[in-house]
Structure formats: structure tokens, C-alpha cells
Amino acid sequence: MTVIVRFAPSPTGYIHIGNARPALYNWLFALKNKGQFILRYDDTDVERSRSEYAEAIARDIDWLGIKPSRVEYQSKRFAVYDAAVEKLKAAGLLYACYETAEELELRRKLRLTRRLPPVYGRDALKLTDEQKAAFEAEGRKPHWRFLLPNFKATPFETERTEVHWDDLVRGPQTVDLASMSDPVLVREDGTYLYTLPSVVDDIDMGITHIIRGDDHVTNTGAQIAIFRALSDVVPVFGHHNLLTTTSGEGLSKRSGALSVGSLREAGVEPMAVASLAVLTGTSDNVEPIATMEELAARYEPSHASKSNAKFDPADLTGLNRALIHHLEFADVEPRLAALGISGDKAEAFWATVRGNIDHVQDAAQWWEIVNRTEPFSDAVADEDKDFIAQAFDLLPEAPWGSDVWKAWTEAVKAATGRKGKTLFMPLRLALTGVASGPELADLLPLIGRENTLARRA
């Protein structure tokens, strides 16, 4: 059996790191099992769905390293859903309901006051054709509910009906269909809720495994019932924990918080996002993983905990820094060139500065420092200026090799008597304008003798 998974975002906003979690889990599962990954846009909400959001989602998951086998749009498949509706109606499993939202809420409250579960009582099944016609004459349009198989003799006498599945993440799960209301599949205006198109597409596209957030666990029992009403095959389900902030707040597409696009624009490496999104809230250590193949080898659905996965966005900086420190020049050459970093010394420059930056674009600051042709006058304390002048008089002649820093500082030490921090810090400030950074032994040959002399105040 070929493993086929799907990621089904709604293109009503930009995806954030929490949305990236199920996308990555499905992609890694497909990689690990040599399967297929389908990107399927849940765009049946025509009013709120936007093509620019769909394009952004495709761009974001591509940046993360996710390569769909194919792309589908639910908005192009209404005829398939219409046929499924007719099949369910013909089987007596989809029935028309005319209650308004206000009437349903009143009935819910009445059941609660009687200490009964707020489950829909299937009153619409008792309506006669005359009563339905009267509602239609009032201008009411029906919504349509799926009749759950939680009874034997009569639908008005439900009994415990267990649906079982072995969850990839949570292990054996059980849902009692008698504890829930018949789900609405079609709204009054004829549009579809999430459930029907999702199940129909999963059947039609041969989805073998559904890996999604654990906010869908309670839906699964009813969805399995719909699968069985329309098909002989039910996919394997896996429900992972949701990603939240450290305070426990959920993430929202509409707020734009931690959107994948904003992280990309901020210079965060895709594997830093992937490592954090996948490993947070699992029994695995959250650490930087260099490639998607390595992450797939590490990924085990059952490693996710049952509680929410709380993460600190600041963790991305540490992961990002660790990944950058191991990037070779060839990995970043085009990005450096876009920053104006190129030429004969570009490769040696990257090897020198990569251990001191959080993002690739931070290298531009050091490139400016290396190529500067004027003094860092404000950086050097007044009491050190005579020392710097004396030190610059002792600069070795060209050509400069890897040992120039050692030769220079030994000469300065012998001439001035300075050592340790009092020797090295003023020189660092005079050369770079900042108190920390790459090793000056590596940086000085890149600066060169001419540019170094130009920094003499």
C-alpha cells in the first residue's frame, strides 16, 4: 500500500508556525514511508478564500522544504460533493432540518436545565411533508444533518455505540456516537461545512493516513461513520498536540502572529522552523536538525505528548544560530551575493563570521566592517588613543598571512607593556567598532593592511 497523506489548509489567511506543524508531520510521514503528499486547499468558503493566500501557502511550504505530489482545490470539486449528498439522501442518512439557530439554542438550554446532555433530539425526523411545506412557505431553508448509526429500532432511542480507532499518536481511542448530535453537513444556503468535502476527498484521493491537530479528536467518531456510509475503507488517524505560546495562548492565522512568511522575511532558516515545529511538545530534544531527511528519520508520531506543545519564539534564534554556524559557503553563496558579499575573499569571510551571527543577513554588517576605510573614532576611549596610534605604527608590512595578528600583538605588547584585555579590547574597538565578534586573527587578513591603516584616528 502506498502511503498518501494530505495537508488541507483554508486559504483565508497566512499560515503560522502552528499550521506548519501538521504540514510538516504529514510531509515527514510521507518521506519516511516513501509516500505521497497532497496539498489540498479547503477553499469552499468562497467569500473568505483568497488566491493570494493560496499562493502564499504554496510559497511557505515550499520554503520549508515540502514538495507536494499534487495540488487540489475543493472549490473545483462541488459536483463530487453534490453526488455524495444525493447518495446519503437516497440511503436515508441525510435529513432536512428547519430549526433556526435561536430555536436550537433554546432547546439546548432546556436540556441542560433538565441535566440532560445538549444533544440534538432529531425532531426534524418527525416532521410531516405538510409541516416541511409550511416551513418552506415561511421562507425557511433546511440545513442537512447526517444520521449517526447510534440506534437499533428507532432513531429516537439512541444507545451507546462505540467507534474505535488506533491513533498513530494517542494510541487506542474510543468515541460513543450516542454522546453527540448528528453533524450538520450542509448549511441553509447550500454550502458545505468542513466535514463532508473533507471525507469525500479523502475517499476519492485515496488518503491512507490523516495526521492533524488533536482539536479534531471529537470529530473523528462521526467522520468514521460518514466514511463507512460512503466507502469500505477508513484511513488511519493520528492526532498530535497543538502548538501554543508559553502562556498557553493559541495561534491565529488572522492575527499574523509568527506567520511562516514573516519568519522567512526575518531571515530564519527553514530547518530552524521545522525543527522547532516538529520537536516541541515531544519526547525528543528540541535541537537543530540540518535536513528534512534527518528530521524524517527522527520523527515518530507517538513521541508527541498529549498536552499542548508550548514553545518560546526566542528558541528560534538559538536554533537558527546553531544551523548557520554549520552552513558551508556553497549553501549561502547566492544569498550572500544578494547582500553584496562576493569576490575573492567572500568564502574566507563567511568561514570567519558565520560563528558570530544569528541570521545570514547579519553577515552584511561584518562585510561593511571588513571593507571600511575610515576610523571608528567614537569607539575608542580617549585614554586609549595614544596606545592605538603607537600600535598602528607597529603594523607589519604586507603581505599579510594567517599569523599577522599574532605577530602584530606580540610587537605591541613588547613596546607598550600592555597585555590581556587592556591590549586586545582597544585594538578590537579600533578595528571593528564593536566589543565582540569573530576572531581578529581571522578577521585582520580580510581587512588588509591598507584598510587597517585607514582606521587610524
Side-chain angles (χ1 to χ4, degrees):
M1 178 186 68
T2 300
V3 165
I4 305 176
V5 297
R6 45 77 165 178
F7 174 53
S10 176
T12 55
Y14 300 107
I15 62 171
H16 51 64
I17 191 170
N19 305 130
R21 191 171 169 85
L24 287 162
Y25 278 176
N26 279 280
W27 172 243
L28 295 172
F29 191 80
L31 274 183
K32 196 163 191 169
N33 292 279
K34 297 180 173 58
Q36 299 175 19
F37 175 100
I38 297 174
L39 171 60
R40 189 175 76 207
Y41 290 108
D42 177 5
D43 59 347
T44 56
D45 186 342
V46 178
E47 291 185 3
R48 292 178 55 230
S49 296
R50 296 285 184 271
S51 60
E52 59 264 32
Y53 291 138
E55 291 167 4
I57 290 169
R59 184 168 58 249
D60 289 344
I61 69 169
D62 179 73
W63 175 73
L64 285 169
I66 298 172
K67 310 299 180 185
S69 305
R70 65 192 227 236
V71 179
E72 299 283 353
Y73 294 83
Q74 290 189 329
S75 59
K76 298 178 180 180
R77 295 175 51 79
F78 285 115
V80 180
Y81 312 142
D82 294 344
V85 164
E86 294 307 313
K87 180 177 179 178
L88 292 175
K89 286 180 180 179
L93 297 177
L94 201 63
Y95 62 99
C97 305
Y98 291 86
E99 297 93 345
T100 65
E102 294 75 15
E103 289 169 345
L104 289 171
E105 178 61 17
L106 178 60
R107 291 181 187 180
R108 189 186 73 85
K109 289 180 178 178
L110 286 173
R111 289 185 67 88
L112 288 173
T113 58
R114 296 177 185 174
R115 297 184 178 179
L116 296 172
V119 175
Y120 179 64
R122 292 172 170 164
D123 302 276
L125 287 175
K126 301 174 183 177
L127 295 176
T128 63
D129 290 340
E130 291 77 12
Q131 289 172 315
K132 292 178 183 179
F135 281 132
E136 297 276 358
E138 288 179 20
R140 295 198 189 195
K141 300 286 186 182
H143 56 272
W144 296 81
R145 290 181 182 266
F146 175 75
L147 185 62
L148 291 171
N150 54 10
F151 60 92
K152 287 184 179 177
T154 168
F156 304 108
E157 296 178 5
T158 60
E159 59 182 44
R160 184 172 182 84
T161 306
E162 294 183 349
V163 174
H164 305 276
W165 74 92
D166 189 8
D167 199 283
L168 276 174
V169 179
R170 302 166 67 89
Q173 300 290 301
T174 300
V175 170
D176 175 18
L177 295 182
S179 68
M180 61 184 66
S181 298
D182 291 337
V184 177
L185 301 188
V186 187
R187 299 183 183 92
E188 290 85 349
D189 61 1
T191 59
Y192 296 112
L193 280 82
Y194 159 83
T195 303
L196 181 75
S198 179
V199 170
V200 170
D201 284 346
D202 288 337
I203 293 170
D204 198 42
M205 297 175 190
I207 302 300
T208 61
H209 296 76
I210 297 174
I211 304 172
R212 57 189 182 179
D214 59 14
D215 52 333
H216 288 286
V217 169
T218 54
N219 307 332
T220 304
Q223 289 175 3
I224 288 175
I226 300 171
F227 269 106
R228 289 173 176 163
L230 293 171
S231 171
D232 296 328
V233 179
V234 177
V236 176
F237 287 87
H239 295 91
H240 60 78
N241 50 1
L242 299 180
L243 205 59
T244 69
T245 62
T246 51
S247 60
E249 297 174 3
L251 303 176
S252 169
K253 276 195 302 186
R254 296 179 184 89
S255 72
L258 292 169
S259 70
V260 174
S262 67
L263 294 174
R264 181 180 66 250
E265 290 169 5
V268 179
E269 297 297 308
M271 285 309 301
V273 176
S275 298
L276 183 66
V278 170
L279 299 176
T280 297
T282 72
S283 57
D284 298 305
N285 293 328
V286 179
E287 56 187 345
I289 307 299
T291 68
M292 202 60 81
E293 289 71 24
E294 292 176 55
L295 193 56
R298 176 82 64 90
Y299 169 63
E300 286 294 341
S302 60
H303 287 187
S305 67
K306 292 185 179 180
S307 57
N308 283 345
K310 296 183 179 181
F311 81 104
D312 186 344
D315 292 341
L316 276 173
T317 302
L319 292 171
N320 208 66
R321 185 188 303 117
L323 287 168
I324 284 174
H325 293 181
H326 293 91
L327 289 177
E328 298 297 334
F329 178 68
D331 299 324
V332 295
E333 185 175 5
R335 294 155 68 184
L336 293 177
L339 296 169
I341 301 171
S342 60
D344 294 341
K345 63 183 180 183
E347 185 168 359
F349 166 81
W350 174 250
T352 298
V353 304
R354 64 182 176 180
N356 289 268
I357 57 178
D358 295 336
H359 305 90
V360 170
Q361 65 261 35
D362 297 342
Q365 175 190 354
W366 285 103
W367 187 251
E368 183 180 344
I369 289 172
V370 163
N371 292 285
R372 185 182 176 96
T373 56
E374 57 188 41
F376 290 102
S377 301
D378 295 337
V380 179
D382 289 340
E383 61 267 24
D384 289 324
K385 287 185 177 177
D386 288 343
F387 164 71
I388 293 299
Q390 186 178 2
F392 274 50
D393 287 338
L394 297 170
L395 270 177
E397 295 296 327
W400 281 5
S402 59
D403 60 346
V404 65
W405 172 251
K406 182 179 180 181
W408 183 33
T409 53
E410 285 180 351
V412 173
K413 179 180 178 180
T416 66
R418 290 204 185 195
K419 59 183 178 179
K421 188 174 181 180
T422 61
L423 169 67
F424 298 117
M425 184 56 69
L427 289 177
R428 177 175 286 280
L429 291 171
L431 290 170
T432 69
V434 291
S436 63
E439 292 291 335
L440 288 171
D442 299 321
L443 207 57
L444 191 59
L446 294 171
I447 296 173
R449 192 173 194 277
E450 184 177 345
N451 281 356
T452 299
L453 286 171
R455 297 170 200 211
R456 181 171 186 164

